[in-house]
Amino acid sequence: MTADTVASESTFEAAALAAGTAIEAALRGGFALVRPPGHHALRDRAMGFCFFNNVAIAARVAQRELGLERVAIIDYDVHHGNGTDAIFRDDDSILYVSLHEWPFYPGTGGPDDQAATTLNIPLGAGSGDDEYLAAFELAVEPAVRAFEPELVLVSAGFDAHTDDPIAHQEVTTGCFRELSRRCAALAPRVGAVLEGGYRLETLPGLVAAARAGFTS
């Protein structure tokens, strides 16, 4: 437990269910609509509202259960998924790609923070559809296609939306649909796990748009 990641009596059960649901999404090609999120969680501690790293757990189980050699994780949450990055930084069977606002919490994922199978794409505050789609076309797609993943898992955070209160980006609902569609086109299998998104009035519509993109 940390100052920004507070546990209650039911937290362990909720976090375990979230991780289990993420596993099922990876195995079945679904979208795990879970809380708490996961991409800040490190191997040995919780962080940033995250207790277990749902997408990392799902990727590892999918490799074992489906016999996959290469899995790509694409993270379009507004924050850098420092936990996912750290867990797989030295693992050449997992490609981690993150589009995120920078400089911003948690302070990692800057332009020089790269590795052989880690691609961090920092975007300045105020970035919107044009910037995100250009970054996807010019950086994400070539990297993922070169890696030739058998499964793409998406850390689908919606806090880069223009109406989200926690960040400073200007991404629209339609862009989340398009980002998701492009993610799904990069491998024969795709699964997704909900990360951020903190305006309850807009979150259902954003999830629906992403889901439409994944299945189009």
Side-chain angles (χ1 to χ4, degrees):
M1 187 171 72
T2 63
D4 61 2
T5 312
V6 179
S8 66
E9 291 182 359
S10 59
T11 296
F12 177 80
E13 181 181 9
L17 287 169
T21 305
I23 289 170
E24 289 301 311
L27 297 179
R28 301 185 185 193
F31 192 161
L33 304 180
V34 297
R35 284 289 190 266
H39 73 156
H40 295 306
L42 298 159
R43 290 182 185 272
D44 57 353
R45 68 183 177 93
M47 180 179 176
F49 310 154
C50 303
F51 292 89
F52 300 142
N53 197 306
N54 303 319
V55 76
I57 294 168
R60 190 61 84 211
V61 173
Q63 284 185 308
R64 185 183 69 220
E65 296 296 320
L66 300 175
L68 306 179
E69 294 184 5
R70 296 177 307 283
V71 175
I73 299 172
I74 302 174
D75 187 338
Y76 56 62
D77 187 277
V78 81
H79 303 99
H80 177 237
N82 61 296
T84 313
D85 185 329
I87 289 168
F88 294 125
R89 173 62 65 126
D90 298 318
D91 186 337
D92 62 7
S93 72
I94 304 284
L95 173 68
Y96 177 66
V97 180
S98 178
L99 293 153
H100 51 270
E101 182 178 340
W102 190 85
F104 198 41
Y105 180 91
T108 51
D112 299 323
D113 189 6
Q114 315 291 339
T117 54
T118 302
L119 175 60
N120 286 311
I121 305 170
L123 298 166
S127 295
D129 296 5
D130 290 345
E131 290 82 3
Y132 272 75
L133 293 175
F136 205 96
E137 179 181 354
L138 297 175
V140 177
E141 289 180 349
V144 176
R145 291 192 188 282
F147 187 70
E148 297 182 332
E150 297 150 287
L151 168 68
V152 164
L153 293 177
V154 182
S155 275
F158 299 99
D159 34 10
H161 186 255
T162 185
D163 291 332
D164 199 279
I166 206 168
H168 316 96
Q169 304 298 59
E170 302 292 339
V171 179
T172 68
T173 302
C175 186
F176 283 113
R177 182 185 297 108
E178 179 62 13
L179 289 172
S180 302
R181 186 192 69 78
R182 295 187 185 191
C183 287
L186 292 172
R189 295 174 177 266
V190 64
V193 182
L194 180 63
E195 299 285 0
Y198 301 99
R199 186 170 183 185
L200 296 181
E201 295 85 356
T202 58
L203 186 58
L206 295 170
V207 168
R211 186 171 179 270
F214 289 131
T215 58
S216 63

